Amino acid sequence: MSVIVFCEQSEEGFKKYTLEAITYGRKLAESMGKPLIGVVNNSTFDEDVLKQYGIPTVHSFGGIPTGDSRKTAENVARIFEEAEGKILVLPINSTGKNIAGQLGILCEAGVVSSVMGLPVGTDPLKVPVSVFAGKATAEIKVAADKAILAIQTNAIAPEEAPAASVEHISHQPAEESAVTILSHETIQGEIPLPEAERVVSGGRGLKGPENWQILLDLAEALGAATACSRPVSDSDWRPHHEHVGQTGIAIQPNLYIAIGISGAIQHLGGVNNSKTIVVINKDPEAPFFKAADYGVVGDLFEIVPKLTEAVKKFNASQ
Ligand SMILES: Cc1cc2nc3c(=O)[nH]c(=O)nc-3n(C[C@H](O)[C@H](O)[C@H](O)COP(=O)(O)OP(=O)(O)OC[C@H]3O[C@@H](n4cnc5c(N)ncnc54)[C@H](O)[C@@H]3O)c2cc1C
């Protein structure tokens, strides 16, 4: 029985969320004394990265159009079965979210989502997860023999631990898919929100889309992704893929800067697992200050440009 990690290969290679899942899987396999196996959704990939992160055996399959979650899940499940998988680890990125439930059915395994740390027990398996929109942590006991663990991004830091060698077993490309992907669009030139280390986010306090440049300048100086509150994307001030919160994307970057956002519970639900929260708001009673590590009470139109200048000065001095 082995621990298997789904190592998604994106167009840019293995992303940080995959390295986090590999680190999780490796530590879990070591603690359980089980073999560690990687599954890659492409027959060509950078083996050195997997070696660097300690995966000794890799199975791969190709021929699946990007976004075909059904076929991806079927192929991962096939390898899980052939390799006698006990636990399958995958990151909660968009593919992970789409395939975790399908894998649970195909592999007859218990699915645990929003996993925040290594198991607190392995017989039976007990895993810490984030619940109530990040307000609490629960321990989930898996009653099934097999488990799918979907790891929250930024829950574990990627750690290298080189493997002596990597054995690569390539599987036949998937048969023709029942699903036809009509179009696939990759957003260019932006830092994807779910994997961003730093996020600068704006709310209705910015008054309108014409004022967004001050936020974009700060994000650029910090090397941060940009996000927004729901009314902002609902009003088409910003694109919908930037909407964070209970009904948007849930993120947990190392730094979240909330600018002109009141801190409604539905917004906090998607961001309050961030490691450090900085709030800029002119209302000292804004609820967001209760969740903040650092708060600035004042007019964002004065504060944000000054902050950007300070960050630029700091960058130039490095
Ligand atoms: C079912 C449901 C689901 C929802 N899901 C989400 C979700 O996923 N994400 C989400 O964000 N919301 C969600 N909402 C909406 C949520 O309840 C709030 O209405 C929303 O988050 C408020 O957005 P805001 O903070 O940008 O705007 P506002 O509440 O209008 O707050 C604007 C803030 O800007 C400050 N401000 C104004 N001018 C300045 C200035 N010059 N300088 C500094 N500060 C200034 C104000 O003091 C205020 O605190 C949901 C609501 C419901 C009912």
Side-chain angles (χ1 to χ4, degrees), residues 3 33 37 67 77 80 91 120 128 169-170 172 191 205 237 248 266 274 295 298:
V3 172
I37 294 173
F80 184 77
V120 288
I169 302 152
S170 179
Q172 285 300 309
I191 302 167
W237 294 2
Q266 297 90 351
S274 306

Side-chain angles (χ1 to χ4, degrees), residues 154 196-201 222 224-225 251-258 274-278 293-294:
N154 290 328
E197 296 270 346
R198 290 166 226 157
V199 174
V200 176
S201 187
L222 285 167
I251 54 171
Q252 47 175 8
N254 289 327
L255 174 65
Y256 184 75
I257 304 185
S274 306
K275 295 227 166 68
T276 301
I277 296 179
V278 178
D293 297 287
Y294 300 94

Side-chain angles (χ1 to χ4, degrees), residues 245-318:
Q246 186 185 309
T247 46
I249 304 177
I251 54 171
Q252 47 175 8
N254 289 327
L255 174 65
Y256 184 75
I257 304 185
I259 301 172
I261 303 176
S262 57
I265 184 77
Q266 297 90 351
H267 183 87
L268 288 175
V271 302
N272 64 359
N273 274 332
S274 306
K275 295 227 166 68
T276 301
I277 296 179
V278 178
V279 171
I280 301 172
N281 198 304
K282 70 175 183 187
D283 175 8
E285 301 298 322
F288 221 145
F289 283 121
K290 290 205 178 91
D293 297 287
Y294 300 94
V296 185
V297 178
D299 186 347
L300 68 91
F301 295 102
E302 284 173 25
I303 293 161
V304 176
K306 283 186 187 158
L307 184 55
T308 306
E309 279 317 305
V311 173
K312 281 184 181 165
K313 244 187 218 163
F314 175 80
N315 289 347
S317 71
Q318 294 304 295

Side-chain angles (χ1 to χ4, degrees), residues 21-298:
I22 294 174
T23 304
Y24 186 101
R26 192 186 68 233
K27 291 190 171 189
L28 180 59
E30 278 166 9
S31 73
M32 295 177 77
K34 304 268 182 221
L36 176 68
I37 294 173
V39 179
V40 182
N41 58 326
N42 203 323
S43 36
T44 51
F45 55 89
D46 190 347
E47 277 187 27
D48 286 346
V49 175
L50 300 186
K51 186 175 177 183
Q52 206 178 340
Y53 282 86
I55 296 204
T57 310
V58 182
H59 291 252
S60 70
F61 57 85
I64 297 181
T66 310
D68 188 339
S69 64
R70 178 72 199 168
K71 217 65 200 165
T72 304
E74 279 171 3
N75 279 275
V76 174
R78 180 165 56 101
I79 295 169
F80 184 77
E81 196 180 322
E82 281 174 23
E84 297 188 343
K86 168 91 177 155
I87 298 176
L88 177 71
V89 176
L90 77 172
I92 310 188
N93 65 325
S94 57
T95 309
K97 269 187 201 159
N98 282 335
I99 66 173
Q102 299 182 58
L103 282 166
I105 292 171
L106 294 165
C107 302
E108 296 182 351
V111 179
V112 187
S113 195
S114 301
V115 173
M116 296 298 292
L118 287 161
V120 288
T122 51
D123 190 19
L125 188 65
K126 272 195 208 162
V127 194
V129 302
S130 165
V131 290
F132 298 124
K135 281 199 166 4
T137 304
E139 278 171 17
I140 301 286
K141 185 167 87 178
V142 182
D145 286 343
K146 293 177 256 174
I148 313 289
L149 303 185
I151 315 299
Q152 189 71 53
T153 47
N154 290 328
I156 183 163
E159 261 177 47
E160 295 183 14
S165 60
V166 177
E167 183 192 12
H168 179 187
I169 302 152
S170 179
H171 293 254
Q172 285 300 309
E175 291 151 28
E176 204 175 313
S177 177
V179 176
T180 308
I181 306 292
L182 297 178
S183 70
H184 176 78
E185 191 185 336
T186 306
I187 297 158
Q188 300 289 347
E190 289 180 26
I191 302 167
L193 249 186
E195 60 201 72
E197 296 270 346
R198 290 166 226 157
V199 174
V200 176
S201 187
R204 248 189 323 217
L206 274 109
K207 318 277 186 238
E210 66 282 3
N211 294 324
W212 232 261
Q213 195 55 47
I214 57 167
L215 187 148
L216 299 178
D217 290 344
L218 177 60
E220 193 187 343
L222 285 167
T226 49
C228 66
S229 67
R230 176 168 153 176
V232 164
S233 61
D234 282 352
S235 312
D236 281 337
W237 294 2
R238 296 297 296 167
H240 277 280
H241 67 254
E242 287 195 0
H243 158 201
V244 288
Q246 186 185 309
T247 46
I249 304 177
I251 54 171
Q252 47 175 8
N254 289 327
L255 174 65
Y256 184 75
I257 304 185
I259 301 172
I261 303 176
S262 57
I265 184 77
Q266 297 90 351
H267 183 87
L268 288 175
V271 302
N272 64 359
N273 274 332
S274 306
K275 295 227 166 68
T276 301
I277 296 179
V278 178
V279 171
I280 301 172
N281 198 304
K282 70 175 183 187
D283 175 8
E285 301 298 322
F288 221 145
F289 283 121
K290 290 205 178 91
D293 297 287
Y294 300 94
V296 185
V297 178

